[in-house]
Amino acid sequence: MGASVHPREVLLGAQAATGFLPVCDHYSGVEARMRKSLQLQAEMCEEFGACVFDVTLDCEDGAPVGGEADHAAMVVALATLASDKARVAVRVHAVDHPAFESDMAIIAGKLARHLSHIMIPKVESLDDVIKAESALLAASAGALPLHVLIESPLAVHNAFDIAAHPRVQSLSFGLMDFVSAHGGAIPAEGMSSQGQFTHPLVVRAKLEIASACHAHGKVPSHCVVTEFNDAAAMTTAARHAARQLGYSRMWSIHPNQIRPILEAFAPSEGEIEDATKIIAAAQRADWAPISFEGKLHDRASYRYYWQVLERAHQTGRALPAEAQTYFQTAHS
């Protein structure tokens, strides 16, 4: 049995979705930058042998006031040109924005087969998710997942209900809007690369979102670092999000941020080597308990080590030959 059944089939249950999204979500809202982002995605896909980041084309912050429909049409044209290997998403306007219904009709209606998901900003409650799902269905795009952006104290309070909705695949944290929603009670430092990891209300919000996602098998996506020319700040923030706060994905707003995010969220060579040995030994034992370097392992730890290999694959890390076979089948 062990040699014929893929580890995903044996080990992953309700949390299976957490292994299958790229760890980086790259945003661009201007046409020239959108084109460059899609080109960079294609180049890095060839380099790493996997699509290591999503490109999200932004209508909410990218569209000029009064030009929302033209911007949406431009986004449709660009997304249509992307390759079959590309992972392209679109952030539309919020459900209470006048352009929301038009966005969904144009974008979801014409790109249902091209997009990986649609991002809905400023989601406050489960009702907002239901409205977004209704718009998807009206556009005959019922198979598209929704990603939602949590940007207020009320949204954080409702995060578990939002994450529970079956259409929702991922929750992202909107740092700057969250700080602004407190009416000055959180200082501007709370939006910085350091302050966002030390202010108690901001850290609490991040932890609530991560916990809500993991409770329902969804992907928690960490907020931006606005100091995009500070490589050290970017690397430190990404590592903190990945190692301390339970996030498995992070936003990028500049091409320089993509590789630091991949590095921070990728397992080390030692972790990959151990995971490969443990999963291979477990498979040979038909997933019964084993001893590895003096420690007992069973399906509880197998699940963890399999997710290490999933994350290594998603971040384009070099895998030992024994692990490469897991990602060269129809399951990959």
Side-chain angles (χ1 to χ4, degrees), residues 11 14 27 46 50 66 98 108 121 204 257 299 302 312 316 320:
L11 301 175
Y27 276 70
E46 289 297 317
R204 173 183 173 273
Q257 296 182 325
R299 291 199 188 191
Y302 298 159

Side-chain angles (χ1 to χ4, degrees), residues 227-249:
E227 299 94 330
F228 55 80
N229 285 322
D230 189 337
M234 182 67 231
T235 299
T236 299
R239 284 178 179 166
H240 199 129
R243 300 287 178 168
Q244 301 297 322
L245 300 183
Y247 280 78
S248 51
R249 182 169 160 97

Side-chain angles (χ1 to χ4, degrees), residues 30-48:
V30 178
E31 182 177 1
R33 292 173 187 167
M34 291 179 184
R35 292 182 181 276
K36 289 180 180 178
S37 297
L38 291 168
Q39 180 181 355
L40 180 61
Q41 185 189 58
E43 292 170 357
M44 291 181 69
C45 187
E46 289 297 317
E47 176 185 350
F48 288 106

Side-chain angles (χ1 to χ4, degrees), residues 160-247:
F160 280 81
D161 289 339
I162 292 168
H165 194 284
R167 178 77 57 179
V168 172
Q169 188 179 50
S170 174
L171 269 61
S172 293
F173 178 52
L175 171 66
M176 288 176 284
D177 277 285
F178 178 81
V179 171
S180 299
H182 284 75
I186 300 176
E189 173 66 16
M191 293 186 282
S192 71
S193 60
Q194 293 183 341
Q196 65 172 286
F197 291 103
T198 57
H199 194 284
L201 283 175
V202 179
V203 173
R204 173 183 173 273
K206 292 183 182 186
L207 292 174
E208 284 290 303
I209 291 167
S211 182
C213 285
H214 290 298
H216 294 288
K218 309 302 172 70
V219 177
S221 188
H222 194 267
C223 58
V224 299
V225 170
T226 56
E227 299 94 330
F228 55 80
N229 285 322
D230 189 337
M234 182 67 231
T235 299
T236 299
R239 284 178 179 166
H240 199 129
R243 300 287 178 168
Q244 301 297 322
L245 300 183
Y247 280 78

